[in-house]
Amino acid sequence: MARPRTPLLDRERIGAAALQLLAEQGEFSVPQIARALGVQTGSLYHHVDGRAGVVELVRERVCAGIDGGALAGEPWDGALEAWARSYRAAFAAYPRAIPLLMTTPVRAPAVLAQYEQAVALLLRAGFRVERVMPLLTGLENLVLGSALDLAAPEAMWEPTAQTPLLATALAAAGQGPGRAEAAFEVGLAAFLSYARSLRDGADTA
């Protein structure tokens, strides 16, 4: 029997199928991916290193939406801010992938390359090396938490007669469209302000 002109299976198709399952049900298994692609489960192991390999394919697909070129910009804080906004947008498109990707080690070369750029940016800016990863991890926590917040209900609190102060604060701020955006702007501004203060004292602290 002649081989099909288009391969039935490759890493691109596997990653796409896994991400689709994540978007639909918040989880995936290797047998589910095989069924979605119409192949035997064993066939997937010719292309990926088990479930961990599939997770990295998902990570690559999601992170492909991040503008790594932003990290080449100047000044450093503007470049970091642009990267953070792009990072958030990429993950906000796939919020159900966040719990999975946040709890597995990062191995995907393309994603590691972006972090290499981010480290280089902060070192060029004058940050001490021991401060770089806590800053990047803190920024990642802010970005991914906010990406999840974008998928949350607009009204996240339901105050009662026993929580009048909460009710007043919610009425003043509003829980409708823009709630998550406003919270992200507060967090990002606070992060950048702290980073600037840390950088300015990097040589004396």
Side-chain angles (χ1 to χ4, degrees):
M1 183 180 294
R3 292 181 174 227
R5 292 180 180 274
T6 302
L8 293 176
L9 201 59
D10 57 29
R11 291 171 61 82
E12 182 75 14
R13 288 180 173 84
I14 294 169
L19 190 53
Q20 182 65 33
L21 287 168
L22 269 176
E24 292 173 353
Q25 60 190 35
E27 187 51 272
F28 71 83
S29 69
V30 175
Q32 285 177 324
I33 295 170
R35 286 195 295 273
L37 294 173
V39 300
Q40 296 296 315
T41 300
S43 299
L44 270 67
Y45 295 109
H46 295 296
H47 301 271
V48 294
D49 183 18
R51 178 181 167 81
V54 178
V55 170
E56 290 311 291
L57 291 182
V58 169
R59 194 188 308 276
E60 287 180 350
R61 291 186 70 85
V62 175
C63 291
I66 304 174
D67 179 15
L71 293 167
E74 296 290 344
W76 68 269
D77 50 355
L80 201 61
E81 178 180 353
W83 185 62
R85 292 184 185 281
S86 176
Y87 196 145
R88 176 177 177 252
F91 274 82
Y94 302 101
R96 285 187 158 186
I98 294 173
L100 173 67
L101 300 182
M102 279 289 286
T103 54
T104 55
V106 180
R107 299 187 180 95
V111 180
L112 290 172
Q114 281 208 22
Y115 276 88
E116 181 78 1
Q117 288 180 273
V119 170
L121 171 70
L122 294 181
L123 291 177
R124 287 196 308 270
F127 285 90
R128 288 166 51 176
V129 67
E130 66 269 22
R131 290 177 168 164
V132 169
M133 289 314 299
L135 276 173
L136 290 179
T137 304
L139 181 60
E140 179 184 67
N141 291 344
L142 168 65
V143 163
L144 295 178
S146 183
L148 275 176
D149 195 22
L150 284 170
E154 291 179 356
M156 280 296 295
W157 295 270
E158 297 181 357
T160 67
Q162 286 71 46
T163 57
L165 296 179
L166 175 62
T168 300
L170 288 171
Q175 292 197 78
R179 176 191 62 76
E181 293 292 344
F184 176 65
E185 294 301 329
V186 168
L188 184 59
F191 171 85
L192 290 171
S193 177
Y194 173 72
R196 292 183 192 107
S197 70
L198 196 63
R199 198 287 299 261
D200 291 343
D203 294 330
T204 58

